[in-house]
Structures are given as structure tokens and as C-alpha cells.
Amino acid sequence: MKQLVVVTALLATIGIAHAQNKTDKWLEQLIREQASPFLKDILNQPDTFHYQLIYTKIDRDKNNKPHFTNYYFRVNRNEYFNPASMVKLPTALLALEKINTLKKYGVTKYTTMLTDSAYSRQTRVKCDSSAANYLPSLAHYVKKVFLVSDNDAYNRLYEFVGQQQLNERLWQMGYKDTRITRRFVTMNEDENRHTNPIRFMKEDSLLYAQIPLFNPDPFDFHKKILIGRAHFNRYDSLIKEPFDFTTHNNFPLEDMQQVLQAALFPEATPAKKQFHLQPEDYTFLHRYMSELPSESDYPRYDTTEFFDSYTKFFMFKAWKSKIPPYMRVFNKTGWSYGFLTDVAYIVDFKNKIEFMVSGNIYVNSDGVLNDDKYEYEETGYPFFKEVGNIIYQYELKRKRKYSPDLSAFQFNYSN
């Protein structure tokens, strides 16, 4: 009887989700008309792949100010997908925002940042062998988050901001459905509510000490989120029940798109949704959102594993496609439990084209979670490649009243 209740509840939830899908017929038609049989097969199975897509058209006025128009295909903030590493995007932004409040102590994002421990399962960081000076810093963590989606770097940023401030600030900005509840390391809810003491140092001198932080406010987990037909637990035992995502992070695709847009175009963002960053912070972010692993000296990456399109799902990751030298992708991706997500701003400097495209898909045909058997390579990445190319081809032909000046997004990555 219990299983029947769970299944019925899931079906009810799915029914509600269908009713609240946002779809612009124009975008659906554009994609379907150009889709290969492979892509059409995915589009015709929304209950299997749970894909969502947002295309953001950007038009510049005579002063080069960008104006945005969003088009949606099956977008639904109530249809849960695991955001995985996408939560690193707002966490990095809010870490940079918070570090700016410490300038009166002589602390910047480049200041040595030593992480201590004061609670169950917390770990220390005293050095970072991937940094030029072998010392950890907030700037270096942010770089690693965008270059290869480094999990430990995210954990350290999460600990610096603190769970309470991280969520309350996002809610204050209007992202009411977003919640970031955990690090990417095995911890329970209580351990994730506690974050580490941190010291900012100049050589042997202490500039600022952050005490351990604690979030006293519990999250509202009344809505159950159960996915799949079975899962492996942390002890590698098969449990013949759905995987429970109830207490996991949540970050709707629309919110992701707005956060990235605010990070890229602060001057065109409503005041409520602006991050409190300096112009230099935005330049720093834009460089490392778009820099490729092969262009990084610190950290230096093994490019057989971290190839240039490693975190560039739209257009490029499938089959390790080469990114043309006249194109750049400013983005953040996430992948876990069969869910793939990419929120991207794609620029073609040669043809003077810019657009944003955001999407996610679920590729887990056996319905078992945590078995490491997901169709990322054969289904997920090719889906992003083809959708990205369809929109890019449309952009190549689209007439613009004013050609964009994209020089603000051009960097010398060898510096």
C-alpha cells in the first residue's frame, strides 16, 4: 500500500508539472523543424528525458546596451531536476560579494585563505599545490569552479559564505525556489548547517578570522521528491525504492539563467538582482567562465581528461569537439545522477553573434540512480550539441538593427 501511495503521489506531481510547463511555440517549431531523427526521438519523449530549454535572444541598441527576450520549451520550475554543480555559480558570486565586505581588514579575493575545522567531518586546508604560490585563496577557488567545476573549491566557498547567508541572500534577490543545502562531500543535514572557521593571512599576520557559522533556520522539506525505481546507497547496496532528493539542492532553470545573465550583464540587470561586485570582479569572472583548461597554468590540467570542451555542453562537448578560436562560451555546467545542465552565453566574435541558451536533460534509461550507468555520452551531450547548433545557425541568419560591440568579452588568456 505504501508503494502505491508513493507512485500515485508521483503521478499527481507529474500531472501538475505538465499543466505548468512554459513553451513558446516558435522555439519548439524552430528546434523540431531542424531536428535530426535522434533529437526528434528525445523531444517526443518528455516524460522520459524531462528536458527543459531557454533561448535568450540578445539585441543591442544604438548605445550597445543589451536587451533580452526569453523563449521557453517545456520550462517548469516545479519539475525537479538535480542541479548538481550549477549551485557553484551563485555560491562563487556570493563569495566574491562577501569578500568585498572585508576590504577594511585588508582582505581581497587574492588573500591567503586558511580553512580550519571545528565540527564533525569538517576538514582543513593549509596549502594548495595547484596555486602559483602554493597557498589557497578565494580567487583560486573561483577559478577552479569555472575551469573544471572543482568540487572541493565549491565546498570552501560554501563554507566561507555560510549556509544561512547563502540562501537568505538568494531569496532576497527574488530566487525564492532556489535552495543550497549541502557541500559536495558526505555530510548529514546538521553537518551541512555548520561551516568552518576561516583565517585570512598576510604571511604570518592574521588579517581577519571568521568564526564557525551555523544556520539555525531549518529548510522546508515537506514536499517529497522521489525519482527513479531503485538506487544504490552509500554502501553500494541496491535499494529497490526511488532515490530521495527531498533534502537536496534545488535551482530552477529560469533562476540559473537569470543568475548567469546578472553575472554577465550587470549594467542591464534590475537593482534587486544585481550582485554587489566591483568592475574588476566581473572581468575576473568573465575570464574564468570562458577560459579553457589548456590555457590555464595555475592550475595546470591534464588535457586528456580535462579537454577544452570538458565543461562546454552546448555545441562542443559531444565527441570532444573543437571550439573555433573566434568563439567563446561563458557558462556553468552540472552533471550528476543522470541529470545534465548547461547555462551558457555563446559569442562568435568573427560573425558578431551573441546569445544565451540554457537547458537540462535526464538520461537514465534503467531508472536506477547511483549506479554510474547514465547515457551522458550517447544521448546527453549530443542533445546539447544539436540544440546549440540549431540556435547558432538561426543566429547566423538573424538580422540585427545594431551590430554588437563584443570587445568587453575578449581576453588575452595568456596573461
Side-chain angles (χ1 to χ4, degrees), residues 6 25 55 74 89 308 318 392:
V6 169
K25 291 297 182 184
Y55 160 48
R74 273 203 87 257
L89 171 62
D308 279 350
Y392 174 65

Side-chain angles (χ1 to χ4, degrees), residues 124-144:
R124 298 180 174 90
V125 181
K126 304 299 181 188
C127 64
D128 186 340
S129 61
S130 70
N133 62 357
Y134 279 73
L135 292 171
S137 68
L138 189 137
H140 201 62
Y141 288 139
V142 172
K143 283 172 59 175
K144 292 194 284 187

Side-chain angles (χ1 to χ4, degrees), residues 82-102:
N82 187 264
S85 292
M86 291 304 304
V87 297
K88 297 170 185 175
L89 171 62
T91 303
L93 292 167
L94 292 180
L96 288 168
E97 186 178 271
K98 182 173 179 176
I99 204 85
N100 284 340
T101 68
L102 303 182

Side-chain angles (χ1 to χ4, degrees), residues 200-220:
F200 291 94
M201 308 292 294
K202 184 176 182 180
E203 297 178 346
D204 293 329
S205 299
L206 175 67
L207 298 178
Y208 178 78
Q210 176 171 292
I211 64 171
L213 301 177
F214 171 66
N215 182 8
D217 301 321
F219 292 93
D220 180 1

Side-chain angles (χ1 to χ4, degrees), residues 163-355:
Q163 190 191 77
Q164 183 177 28
Q165 183 176 341
L166 182 56
N167 287 277
E168 288 183 354
R169 178 74 176 105
L170 289 170
W171 298 337
Q172 178 190 55
M173 296 174 78
Y175 302 112
K176 300 292 187 182
D177 296 326
T178 293
R179 66 166 185 254
I180 301 177
T181 64
R182 55 181 56 203
R183 300 168 177 85
F184 291 148
V185 66
T186 302
M187 285 188 174
N188 60 34
E189 288 175 50
D190 174 63
E191 289 164 339
N192 275 311
R193 288 164 71 177
H194 288 82
T195 47
N196 309 41
I198 296 169
R199 289 174 291 141
F200 291 94
M201 308 292 294
K202 184 176 182 180
E203 297 178 346
D204 293 329
S205 299
L206 175 67
L207 298 178
Y208 178 78
Q210 176 171 292
I211 64 171
L213 301 177
F214 171 66
N215 182 8
D217 301 321
F219 292 93
D220 180 1
F221 291 135
H222 79 276
K223 182 182 177 182
K224 284 287 182 184
I225 303 171
L226 305 174
I227 293 177
R229 63 176 183 83
H231 68 277
F232 283 88
N233 65 16
R234 68 181 60 177
Y235 309 107
D236 289 330
S237 298
L238 179 63
I239 309 299
K240 295 183 179 180
E241 293 179 0
F243 190 89
D244 190 348
F245 285 97
T246 302
T247 64
H248 282 234
N249 297 328
N250 188 46
F251 195 12
L253 188 67
E254 287 177 274
D255 290 4
M256 295 178 184
Q257 189 276 331
Q258 289 179 34
V259 168
L260 183 65
Q261 184 175 311
L264 292 164
F265 304 99
E267 73 289 351
T269 299
K272 181 180 180 181
K273 292 190 179 294
Q274 287 181 9
F275 292 90
H276 300 155
L277 303 179
Q278 299 300 312
E280 191 276 333
D281 294 324
Y282 287 108
T283 301
F284 174 84
L285 278 167
H286 298 169
R287 171 176 176 165
Y288 293 109
M289 283 180 177
S290 58
E291 185 167 290
L292 306 176
S294 66
E295 295 168 329
S296 173
D297 289 326
Y298 300 99
R300 183 173 291 278
Y301 294 105
D302 176 358
T303 54
T304 56
E305 178 182 1
F306 299 107
F307 48 94
D308 279 350
S309 59
Y310 179 74
T311 64
K312 310 300 180 186
F313 293 0
F314 278 112
M315 298 182 69
F316 299 115
K317 181 159 187 178
W319 310 298
K320 300 183 180 180
S321 301
K322 295 293 184 183
I323 302 173
Y326 53 85
M327 293 185 72
R328 283 284 165 175
V329 181
F330 302 75
N331 73 317
K332 186 71 194 76
T333 53
W335 60 98
S336 188
Y337 299 108
F339 294 94
L340 293 171
T341 307
D342 190 0
V343 178
Y345 168 59
I346 299 176
V347 183
D348 177 337
F349 296 105
K350 182 175 76 173
N351 295 295
K352 295 190 175 181
I353 287 171
E354 61 176 339
F355 63 96

Side-chain angles (χ1 to χ4, degrees), residues 28-48:
E28 180 177 3
Q29 184 177 351
L30 172 71
I31 294 173
R32 285 187 178 278
E33 284 181 351
Q34 304 299 321
S36 67
F38 158 81
L39 181 56
K40 284 179 180 175
D41 187 53
I42 293 174
L43 299 178
N44 291 335
Q45 299 183 68
D47 293 340
T48 298

